[in-house]
């Protein structure tokens, strides 16, 4: 049964009801950065009133995120590199991260929440860059803030209330349905209300609707794809090839591009995590992704072994009917089976090859990448020989 909630909750949230406050300096910065008459000196003078924000913006300007050719050493140069508009939303994002605690409270692990959010944000930024459909920096902020409504939802309805959140709520659809059934509102609606109150641009606010599909703009669709891929990236149970299937089908990206995006994400994440005060262990996360790739190879190897068993692969023997038609059918079936195996195999091999070129070959990650690549090459050779031998047998 749906619990009673205040009928005007969303309207009150949009007015700031029960919401934590962002930095006073940041709120003023949002106003100032939107004023066409303000100068770099005006903005620098305001930011300097918050030494912590000053240091973090300097780190951000020098991070791989903005890819400057020369390091910046002054706040004015950092502001120019970041840009007025992006400075506004980046400062909002930094302040938003500071507004919530870290650690674990009940079922909510804040550390994991922000780590996942940061990976999602970097993926969204890269997708936007490759697709050219929306601004990459806005995509970063849209991805970073996509789950913020759940933090408010947790504070309002779960924390300290004795509410039991079923572990079966493992997909967004299930979670939103449960929230609506239990409390009459879901965290995405709350997210729209609070982001609007905090002054985020409307296109970023609308990213909260991305899960609804075609009714949203390109920024929301990019952030939704980043949400799905970040879940695949970080969940141990997710299959490695799902990364490529999602990127191929939803964004039209090639396997090579997806590999580049994933590895670039790991390159950037540690650097930018410092600006957001998020504890990050990219080596551990990368090794877990490599373990996914290794499990994918094991599954491919098992499938090939099964197919090599007597009767598992199609053959011309025993088929009735006209010989040429039967032979064509068998050969086409063989090619389809090989294609089904080769696609994930090529994806794993491409990932391992690119990874091996970016990590220290003597490191644990470098050694693991080499082993995965060697196994992928071995399996691809075996698949080619297996298919060729059976085709030769059928045509002999």
């Amino acid at each position: 049964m749906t619990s009673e909630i205040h009928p005007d909750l969303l309207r009150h949230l949009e007015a700031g009801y029960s919401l934590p406050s962002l930095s006073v300096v940041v709120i003023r910065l949002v106003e100032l950065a939107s004023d066409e008459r303000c100068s770099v000196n005006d903005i620098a003078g305001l930011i300097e009133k918050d030494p912590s924000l000053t240091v973090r913006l300097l780190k951000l300007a020098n991070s791989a995120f903005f890819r400057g050719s020369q390091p910046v050493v002054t706040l004015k140069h950092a502001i120019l590199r970041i840009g007025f508009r992006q400075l506004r939303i980046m400062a909002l994002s930094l302040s938003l991260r500071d507004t919530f605690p870290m650690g674990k409270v009940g079922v909510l692990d804040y550390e994991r929440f922000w780590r996942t959010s940061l990976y999602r944000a970097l993926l969204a930024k890269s997708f936007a860059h490759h697709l050219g459909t929306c601004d990459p920096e806005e995509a970063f902020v849209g991805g970073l803030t996509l789950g913020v409504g759940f933090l408010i939802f947790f504070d309002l309805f779960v924390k300290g209330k004795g509410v039991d959140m079923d572990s079966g709520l493992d997909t967004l659809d299930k979670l939103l349905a449960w929230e609506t059934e239990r409390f009459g509102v879901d965290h995405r609606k709350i997210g729209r209300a609070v982001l609007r109150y905090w002054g985020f641009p409307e296109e970023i606010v609308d990213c909260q609707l991305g899960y609804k599909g075609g009714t949203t703009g390109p920024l929301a669709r990019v952030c939704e794809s980043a949400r799905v891929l970040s879940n695949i990236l970080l969940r141990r149970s997710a299959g490695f090839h799902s990364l490529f299937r999602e990127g191929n089908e939803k964004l039209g990206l090639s396997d090579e591009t997806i590999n580049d995006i994933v590895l670039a994400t790991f390159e950037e994440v540690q650097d930018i995590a410092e600006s957001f005060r998020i504890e990050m262990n990219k080596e551990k996360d990368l090794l877990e992704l490599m373990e996914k790739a290794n499990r994918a190879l094991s599954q491919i190897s098992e499938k090939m072994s099964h197919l090599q068993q007597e009767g598992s692969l199609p053959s011309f023997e025993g088929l009735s009917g006209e010989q040429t038609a039967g032979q064509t059918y068998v050969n086409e079936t063989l090619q389809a089976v090989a294609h089904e195996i080769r696609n994930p195999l090529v994806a794993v091999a491409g990932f391992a090859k690119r990874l091996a070129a970016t990590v220290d070959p003597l490191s644990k990650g470098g050694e693991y990448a080499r082993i995965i690549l060697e196994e992928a090459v071995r399996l691809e050779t075996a698949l080619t020989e297996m298919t060729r031998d059976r085709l030769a047998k059928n045509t002999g």
Side-chain angles (χ1 to χ4, degrees):
M1 179 179 294
T2 302
S3 297
E4 289 295 323
I5 63 166
H6 196 295
D8 296 323
L9 175 64
L10 295 180
R11 180 169 58 82
H12 284 306
L13 287 175
E14 286 184 335
Y17 168 77
S18 293
L19 294 180
S21 299
L22 300 186
S23 160
V24 174
V25 169
V26 169
I27 295 300
R28 175 61 183 141
L29 176 62
V30 171
E31 298 171 355
L32 198 60
S34 303
D35 187 345
E36 295 181 356
R37 297 168 297 177
C38 77
S39 67
V40 172
N41 289 334
D42 295 331
I43 292 180
L46 175 64
I47 295 173
E48 284 169 352
K49 295 178 180 178
D50 186 337
S52 174
L53 183 59
T54 299
V55 170
R56 294 163 75 188
L57 286 174
L58 279 167
K59 283 185 177 179
L60 187 61
N62 282 308
S63 71
F65 187 88
F66 285 100
R67 303 184 184 279
S69 57
Q70 298 293 328
V72 298
V73 295
T74 70
L75 184 55
K76 291 179 183 178
H77 287 157
I79 293 168
L80 289 172
R81 174 170 292 179
I82 296 172
F84 280 18
R85 175 173 172 78
Q86 300 311 324
L87 179 71
R88 175 172 65 119
I89 57 179
M90 285 297 175
L92 274 169
S93 299
L94 290 169
S95 183
L96 176 61
R97 156 62 194 88
D98 291 344
T99 300
F100 296 94
M102 296 302 274
K104 189 170 183 179
V105 180
V107 298
L108 180 56
D109 185 339
Y110 285 91
E111 296 277 0
R112 180 171 179 78
F113 173 90
W114 286 112
R115 284 199 302 271
T116 302
S117 297
L118 192 54
Y119 276 113
R120 183 174 61 233
L122 288 170
L123 286 170
K125 172 177 171 278
S126 289
F127 291 156
H129 172 74
H130 282 277
L131 296 171
T133 56
C134 52
D135 181 83
E137 280 72 35
E138 286 191 359
F140 175 88
V141 177
L144 186 74
T145 59
L146 200 60
V148 72
F150 184 76
L151 299 180
I152 306 298
F153 178 92
F154 183 78
D155 280 349
L156 289 174
F157 301 120
V158 180
K159 187 168 67 175
K161 308 281 194 309
V163 174
D164 181 27
M165 293 191 69
D166 191 342
S167 59
L169 303 174
D170 55 354
T171 67
L172 180 61
D173 288 341
K174 288 180 182 178
L175 179 60
L176 294 176
W178 176 83
E179 292 169 352
T180 301
E181 174 66 22
R182 184 74 184 269
F183 301 103
V185 67
D186 66 60
H187 74 265
R188 285 298 186 90
K189 290 178 181 176
I190 290 176
R192 294 188 77 207
V194 300
L195 290 177
R196 202 171 269 133
Y197 169 72
W198 279 324
F200 281 83
E202 196 63 23
E203 53 268 30
I204 290 175
V205 173
D206 284 345
C207 289
Q208 298 293 318
L209 300 173
Y211 66 95
K212 293 185 177 180
T215 60
T216 54
L219 180 61
R221 290 195 290 272
V222 160
C223 290
E224 173 61 13
S225 291
R227 180 190 69 81
V228 174
L229 264 76
S230 63
N231 285 339
I232 295 171
L233 202 66
L234 298 175
R235 286 183 180 172
R236 293 181 63 86
S237 59
F240 182 81
H241 193 56
S242 300
L243 280 170
F244 302 91
R245 185 167 57 248
E246 183 71 20
N248 298 155
E249 294 176 0
K250 297 295 177 60
L251 298 174
L253 297 173
S254 67
D255 288 357
E256 292 80 7
T257 299
I258 295 168
N259 274 323
D260 290 341
I261 287 173
V262 168
L263 293 177
T265 296
F266 282 105
E267 285 271 321
E268 294 181 353
V269 71
Q270 195 83 45
D271 199 10
I272 198 168
E274 294 180 10
S275 299
F276 283 85
R277 294 176 179 166
I278 299 172
E279 290 293 327
M280 191 67 64
N281 188 340
K282 73 169 186 179
E283 286 78 14
K284 177 177 177 291
D285 294 335
L286 186 55
L287 282 172
E288 288 185 358
L289 180 60
M290 293 167 72
E291 182 57 34
K292 281 191 180 76
N294 192 39
R295 286 200 300 270
L297 287 182
S298 297
Q299 292 166 358
I300 291 169
S301 180
E302 289 175 10
K303 188 169 186 176
M304 288 174 58
S305 296
H306 174 71
L307 289 172
Q308 284 178 309
Q309 295 173 7
E310 187 66 31
S312 295
L313 278 172
S315 67
F316 182 65
E317 296 172 4
L319 281 178
S320 59
E322 200 273 321
Q323 179 172 347
T324 302
Q327 187 172 339
T328 300
Y329 165 76
V330 169
N331 290 346
E332 287 178 350
T333 303
L334 274 171
Q335 295 289 4
V337 169
H339 183 72
E340 181 183 346
I341 297 174
R342 185 169 280 111
N343 274 355
L345 189 55
V346 169
V348 173
F351 167 75
K353 185 175 182 179
R354 279 169 166 73
L355 178 60
T358 62
V359 298
D360 181 356
L362 300 179
S363 68
K364 184 177 180 180
E367 181 180 357
Y368 203 179
R370 178 181 56 77
I371 292 170
I372 292 173
L373 181 57
E374 288 175 355
E375 177 64 4
V377 170
R378 183 190 73 79
L379 288 174
E380 188 165 11
T381 301
L383 176 63
T384 299
E385 291 175 352
M386 182 179 74
T387 308
R388 184 189 61 214
D389 292 347
R390 185 52 62 96
L391 285 171
K393 180 180 178 181
N394 288 335
T395 57

